[in-house]
Amino acid sequence: MSRLAQTAGLTDVQQEILSTVRDFVDKEIIPVATQLEHRDEYPTEIVEGLKELGLFGLMIPEEYGGLGESLLTYALCVEEIARGWMSVSGIINTHFIVAYMLKQHGTQEQKDTFLPRMALGEVRGAFSMSEPALGSDVSAISSKGVKDGDEYVLNGQKMWLTNGGSSTLVAVLCRSDEGHPEGTAPHKSMTTFLVEKEAGFGEVRPGLTIPGKIDKMGYKGVDTTELIMDGLRIPANRVLGGTTGRGFYQMMDGVEVGRVNVAARGCGVAQRAFELGVSYAQQRQTFGKPIAQHQAIQFKLAEMATKVEAAHAMMVNAARKKDSGERNDLEAGMAKYLASEYCKEVVEDAFRIHGGYGFSKEYEIERLYREAPMLLIGEGTAEIQKMIIGRRLLEEYRLQG
């Protein structure tokens, strides 16, 4: 266990879970991650291993066959997994956002139907808000769900769907004007639909097409896709929570969990970059001594370690706040913003410590250097985080009188 990024006050069960996950990462993920990443290959064996560990049910309540653990435990596991390979943490994150939304907002029938199979990893979740033209502007969603008898007919195009091919249950946010008069605020006329589908690409059920994987700079292995709905028919009992018009709030609740997750990923990638940098600095010699003995490199290591420690503390605070039942959008936004920015900086410093070898695909830091930028834009860009943080601060510190 490293000196950095320790978490005080963990139970014996939490420590045991984290120790198991760390061992799995060191033995099963780190040795193969770069090879799989360069081939953009889905990590099937790693995912099967995570299923066996019970990680797909980590936060699902025990009554549905899960482990019933806290957001903090989950975030610390994500930190460990991202330390091994960030793409694997993405496979789990989208699954958990859907499971969390079902647990918090689903009807009893929806919970009974999906959560036990999600806990086993038999049903794999993905969620879909973004569209080709809107980015972080969720209120501009144009995909529509229109009531037709006992069903809804969905039409539209979605973008940046993590697990788009491998998932079998997708929570899709659409505009649904039914019961909402003209002039209703956009966020009050959105509905989350639970769309079941086959895993794979092409037409995965009538009216639903997953065209194929988007080729990306980094964050490879995990399948990121579009989702095209053309007359897709969904039964009315697959409206999340059974009531239309609640989709925006349901998704934002899920995204708060997702932002803690992205912060945890940033912490994990930064930790790995620090490990690689501090190790290489003690092996590489210049001017007759290891470069770690040069003050310029020691300054870099000092800054990197401080950033790793600070990001971890903020991520833990955001998770604990959500676990206590308090609103945590301010803390989650701050943690996500700081951890992703610090991750980019720590990775770049580790890259610089490696010198020319950092540019070689033989060295792990090359992969991390391509992965870190995704955290600056995933679950809302840094700029969106700052807007959220700024608005919440003005709410908290509003002048009286």
Side-chain angles (χ1 to χ4, degrees):
M1 211 52 164
S2 71
R3 169 70 184 266
L4 295 180
Q6 296 298 297
T7 312
L10 296 181
T11 65
D12 290 346
V13 171
Q14 286 174 314
Q15 288 174 352
E16 189 179 334
I17 290 170
L18 284 174
S19 174
T20 303
V21 171
R22 178 172 272 260
D23 283 350
F24 181 83
V25 167
D26 287 340
K27 290 172 186 167
E28 307 295 335
I29 298 183
I30 288 175
V32 299
T34 296
Q35 186 183 9
L36 289 172
E37 197 269 354
H38 286 164
R39 295 203 301 260
D40 197 4
E41 185 176 320
Y42 188 81
T44 304
E45 287 183 26
I46 291 172
V47 169
E48 288 303 313
L50 294 175
K51 276 190 200 174
E52 286 174 29
L53 290 180
L55 280 193
F56 281 98
L58 191 63
M59 267 178 75
I60 293 173
E62 291 179 12
E63 66 202 87
Y64 298 106
L67 298 177
E69 273 296 329
S70 63
L71 177 58
L72 175 63
T73 310
Y74 170 58
L76 294 173
C77 287
V78 165
E79 185 178 39
E80 292 292 352
I81 291 166
R83 187 184 136 262
W85 184 14
M86 193 178 76
S87 293
V88 179
S89 65
I91 291 168
I92 294 174
N93 179 43
T94 44
H95 177 81
F96 262 106
I97 289 178
V98 179
Y100 174 81
M101 287 166 62
L102 274 162
K103 181 186 82 169
Q104 295 296 106
H105 306 287
T107 64
Q108 194 58 52
E109 183 269 334
Q110 289 166 355
K111 292 178 194 177
D112 291 342
T113 299
F114 294 115
L115 287 179
R117 290 186 293 149
M118 291 185 85
L120 294 171
E122 288 174 3
V123 168
R124 301 269 295 288
F127 78 109
S128 180
M129 284 195 298
S130 193
E131 295 181 1
L134 61 86
S136 294
D137 183 8
V138 179
S139 64
I141 276 175
S142 61
S143 297
K144 288 199 76 166
V146 178
K147 188 89 187 279
D148 181 25
D150 292 333
E151 296 180 314
Y152 285 84
V153 180
L154 275 51
N155 287 286
Q157 184 178 1
K158 296 303 220 177
M159 191 69 176
W160 305 121
L161 185 68
T162 301
N163 286 348
S166 53
S167 59
T168 52
L169 176 67
V170 187
V172 182
L173 188 63
C174 294
R175 191 165 300 296
S176 59
D177 297 327
E178 173 223 1
H180 306 291
E182 195 72 33
T184 299
H187 65 280
K188 291 184 177 175
S189 59
M190 293 184 191
T191 298
T192 304
F193 293 94
L194 299 170
V195 177
E196 296 170 84
K197 69 175 189 67
E198 292 294 317
F201 299 99
E203 190 170 13
V204 289
R205 67 175 278 180
L208 180 64
T209 301
I210 307 292
K213 287 167 66 169
I214 297 167
D215 198 14
K216 309 181 296 288
M217 172 176 89
Y219 199 41
K220 293 176 179 283
V222 59
D223 50 291
T224 307
T225 71
E226 295 174 74
L227 177 148
I228 299 166
M229 300 175 290
D230 183 11
L232 172 63
R233 303 189 79 86
I234 299 293
N237 67 357
R238 289 297 169 257
V239 169
L240 180 62
T243 309
T244 61
R246 299 290 303 160
F248 181 82
Y249 305 102
Q250 294 162 347
M251 282 278 178
M252 289 305 108
D253 190 26
V255 164
E256 274 184 28
V257 173
R259 285 189 177 134
V260 172
N261 171 285
V262 171
R265 289 196 229 181
C267 292
V269 174
Q271 274 183 54
R272 185 61 183 160
F274 174 78
E275 288 171 9
L276 294 171
V278 76
S279 171
Y280 185 83
Q282 293 172 79
Q283 296 168 46
R284 174 85 163 101
Q285 300 232 348
T286 62
F287 306 105
K289 59 184 177 181
I291 62 171
Q293 291 180 24
H294 294 293
Q295 195 177 55
I297 300 299
Q298 286 181 15
F299 282 1
K300 279 197 189 305
L301 294 172
E303 289 169 6
M304 291 160 72
T306 303
K307 288 170 181 174
V308 165
E309 194 75 347
H312 176 83
M314 286 196 77
M315 179 271 289
V316 167
N317 179 53
R320 282 187 160 142
K321 194 126 191 169
K322 186 86 170 173
D323 282 333
S324 71
E326 295 178 72
R327 183 176 177 183
N328 87 330
D329 54 344
L330 177 64
E331 290 75 14
M334 284 180 165
K336 191 271 176 190
Y337 168 60
L338 189 89
S340 56
E341 294 290 340
Y342 275 1
C343 174
K344 172 189 66 109
E345 293 168 15
V346 171
V347 167
E348 182 163 318
D349 277 341
F351 176 81
R352 288 170 187 258
I353 286 170
H354 279 74
Y357 288 106
F359 220 62
S360 164
K361 287 202 166 195
E362 282 181 47
Y363 283 75
E364 196 179 331
I365 193 63
E366 178 270 343
R367 168 170 64 81
L368 269 54
Y369 195 77
R370 289 183 290 102
E371 287 178 342
M374 199 287 287
L375 298 171
L376 301 172
I377 51 175
E379 308 288 359
T381 63
E383 289 70 27
I384 290 290
Q385 301 311 316
K386 287 191 274 190
M387 281 170 55
I388 292 167
I389 293 163
R391 286 173 187 164
R392 285 289 288 116
L393 289 172
L394 288 170
E395 280 178 37
E396 293 287 344
Y397 290 88
R398 183 177 286 118
L399 288 177
Q400 301 299 314

